[in-house]
Structure formats: structure tokens, C-alpha cells
Amino acid sequence: MPRPTPAQIAYGSATVVFSAAAMLLLTPTGSALMLGALALAALVLGCAVAVAVPARSRRERQAADAAARLPERRTPAHAGSTVGEHPLHG
């Protein structure tokens, strides 16, 4: 099983926290059993969200790394314009 990405961990953790808070605010919790059920439901929902976040494949990571290593291309500020013309007045 591959390791979870930081994005998967962040989305799953945020889902657990916010769904648990929402369920606690919206549901009357009179017993410890109900509290445990809400916590378990939040955990299951967080795991489902973490798995649903698409992980980047090895090919995508290699392409992103290769693009980051390329030198940055810079174009001159005056490219495509003539002297004395304002770019908005064509």
C-alpha cells in the first residue's frame, strides 16, 4: 500500500475535525455510546475523504520534477510592441 500524500492527510484530518464538530453540534449526545458512534462516523468519513483525494502517479511526479529543473524563460517587456504605442490603444 502506498504512503498517503500530505494532501490526503490534510484533507482527511480536516474532515474528521469538522465533521465531528458538526455532528456534535447537530445531534443530542446523551450517552458515551452515542459519543463513540459520532467519533467513529467522523473517523470513517475522514478516511473515505483521504482515500478519495487522488494521489499523483510516479509519471506525474517525474514530469513535475523535470519541469521544475528547466531554466525559466524570460521574454523582454517590450516584445511585440512598437516604440511610442500604448498597448491599450493598439
Side-chain angles (χ1 to χ4, degrees), residues 12-36:
S13 299
T15 301
V16 170
V17 169
F18 289 121
S19 63
M23 285 189 278
L24 286 171
L25 290 173
L26 297 174
T27 314
T29 53
S31 68
L33 184 62
M34 184 66 167
L35 205 62

Side-chain angles (χ1 to χ4, degrees), residues 1 7-8 10 16-17 26 29 31-32 41 43-44 50 55-56 59 69 72 76 78-79 85 88:
M1 183 170 151
Q8 289 174 315
V16 170
V17 169
L26 297 174
T29 53
S31 68
L43 186 61
V44 168
R56 289 176 27 179
R59 182 177 293 164
R69 283 189 231 118
E72 185 178 329
H78 57 80
E85 286 187 5
L88 296 178

